[in-house]
């Protein structure tokens, strides 16, 4: 049921309940007495006026009271009935004249059930009000569930998607559902994610090409510089003129300087990723719960209780490590993830397990190499830097990262230093 139909139904129920209530309020209570029964009672009382107790009232269902001229009770058919004219008027009970031999002998008070009818009317009105509001509450709850399913849940999914994009996690797709208000935007957002992922991959490739070019040029430049140094040394051995010796020494020193600069540039190109700063501090292990929650994109992570302890870590960098490991698991395994933990004398070990096909034994030692990507990439985006960076960060935090195959999947173990 769509939102408009649900609201229209609630409005119809409310209007129907109001109309029924108004109709019941405006409907007059029937105060008419059964005249046939009233005449029968009157005739019976008049015919047995001297001894009303001895009359046959077997066919009379109407309750009544007989009063004489002085207002005294001569007979009453049941207890609790009005015994005076005033009471009868106050209860709206009909009062009839009793005539014997053409003369007024007394009064006959007939018990009317006006109060009972009024109470019954109130009960019916309350029933209508109760049913109306019960139906409205039920519809309101259904509408709230409907809104939560078609608006709030998709909006939260968009929030998580935006958070993943902001963190650079572009491997988690945004599932499309055209039946919610955000369905029209979902495809556009996912296309944006794919374009960003493609742009980032292109950037990685461009940076890698630049690094390889600089490394190659650095290596090529070192060869002629080495030749200049060698020729300078040879000429220095044969030179006798002081001026020539000074000039050759200057050439040799400049060549040495160029060689040192090229060597630094070569090493900086290969080691520039190690410029990542790590600020290690003491933290409670409970921070791991928030870190794991931040990578639980699709609710596929099951995490056992983490022991309480003090660890040495950089929370920001540890979050980056979890992002890289879990992202690889989502990308290559595509299964649920189970996280368990244990304490050794020096480390808190966190084991991140998926249930994919793992990697071949030959590739296992190469996973932490820079730019290395396994044979199972199957067209998936990546630059081969995630595990390399993760290993560097873990070692910078006095920890370690390891991985191994299991019979039912693949595991990555993070060893975090205890205080």
């Amino acid at each position: 049921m769509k939102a408009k139909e649900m609201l229209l139904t609630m409005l119809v129920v409310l209007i129907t309940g109001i109309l029924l209530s108004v109709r019941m309020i405006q409907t007059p209570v029937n105060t008419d007495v059964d005249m046939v029964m009233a005449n029968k009672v009157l005739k019976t009382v008049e015919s047995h006026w001297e001894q009303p107790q001895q009359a046959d009232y077997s066919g009379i269902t109407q309750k009544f009271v007989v009063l004489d001229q002085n207002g005294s009770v001569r007979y009453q058919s049941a207890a609790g009935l009005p015994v005076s004219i005033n009471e009868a008027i106050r209860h709206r009970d009909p009062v009839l004249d009793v005539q014997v031999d053409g003369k007024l002998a007394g009064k006959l008070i007939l018990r009317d059930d006006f109060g009972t009818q009024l109470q019954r009317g109130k009960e019916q009105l309350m029933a209508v009000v109760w049913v109306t509001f019960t139906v409205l509450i039920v519809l309101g709850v259904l509408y709230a569930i409907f809104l939560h399913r078609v608006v709030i849940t998709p909006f939260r999914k968009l929030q998580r998607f935006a958070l993943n994009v902001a963190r650079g996690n572009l491997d988690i797709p945004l599932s499309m559902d055209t039946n919610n208000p955000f369905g029209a935007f979902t495809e556009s957002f996912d296309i944006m994610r794919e374009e960003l992922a493609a742009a980032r991959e292109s950037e990685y490739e461009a940076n890698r090409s630049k690094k390889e070019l600089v490394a190659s040029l650095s290596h090529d430049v070192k060869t002629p510089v080495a030749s200049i140094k060698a020729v300078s040394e040879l000429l220095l051995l044969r030179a006798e003129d002081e001026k020539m010796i000074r000039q050759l020494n200057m050439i040799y020193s400049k060549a040495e300087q160029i060689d040192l600069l090229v060597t630094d540039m070569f090493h900086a190109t290969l080691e520039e990723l190690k410029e990542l700063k790590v600020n290690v501090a003491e933290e409670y292990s409970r921070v791991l719960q928030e870190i794991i929650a931040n990578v639980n994109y699709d609710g596929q992570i099951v995490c056992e209780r983490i022991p309480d302890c003090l660890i040495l870590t950089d929370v920001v960098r540890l979050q980056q490590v979890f992002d890289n490991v879990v992202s690889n698991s989502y990308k290559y395994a595509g299964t649920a993830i189970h996280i368990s933990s244990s304490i050794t004398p020096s480390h808190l070990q966190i084991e991140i397990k998926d249930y994919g096909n793992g990697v071949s034994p030959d590739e296992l030692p190469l996973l932490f190499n820079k730019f290395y990507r396994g044979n199972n990439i199957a067209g998936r985006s990546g630059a081969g830097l995630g595990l390399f960076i993760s290993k560097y960060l873990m070692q910078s935090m006095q920890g370690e990262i390891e991985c191994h195959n299991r019979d039912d999947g693949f595991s990555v173990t993070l060893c975090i230093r205890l205080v």
Side-chain angles (χ1 to χ4, degrees), residues 217-227 258-260 262-263 266:
L217 290 176
S218 300
H219 182 271
D220 293 341
V221 170
K222 287 174 68 68
T223 301
V225 170
S227 300
I258 293 173
D259 184 57
L260 291 175
V262 171
T263 300
F266 179 74

Side-chain angles (χ1 to χ4, degrees), residues 308-322:
D308 294 329
C309 56
L310 280 174
I311 57 176
L312 288 174
T313 189
D314 181 336
V315 176
V316 175
R317 296 306 183 186
L318 189 59
Q319 178 74 71
Q320 189 174 352
V321 172
F322 271 88

Side-chain angles (χ1 to χ4, degrees), residues 51-117:
Q51 298 292 331
Q53 296 86 355
Q54 298 179 1
D56 183 11
Y57 301 111
S58 58
I60 296 175
T61 59
Q62 176 70 53
K63 297 178 182 180
F64 61 93
V65 176
V66 180
L67 304 178
D68 60 17
Q69 285 282 56
N70 298 323
S72 300
V73 177
R74 290 180 60 83
Y75 178 79
Q76 60 181 17
S77 61
L81 300 178
V83 294
S84 68
I85 300 299
N86 290 335
E87 287 186 54
I89 294 174
R90 188 165 59 250
H91 290 91
R92 301 184 182 181
D93 293 332
V95 179
L96 302 178
D97 293 333
V98 179
Q99 295 184 0
V100 179
D101 297 332
K103 296 181 181 180
L104 181 63
K107 298 291 185 180
L108 174 64
I109 301 175
L110 300 174
R111 180 58 170 162
D112 190 10
D113 59 350
F114 173 79
T116 303
Q117 293 184 25

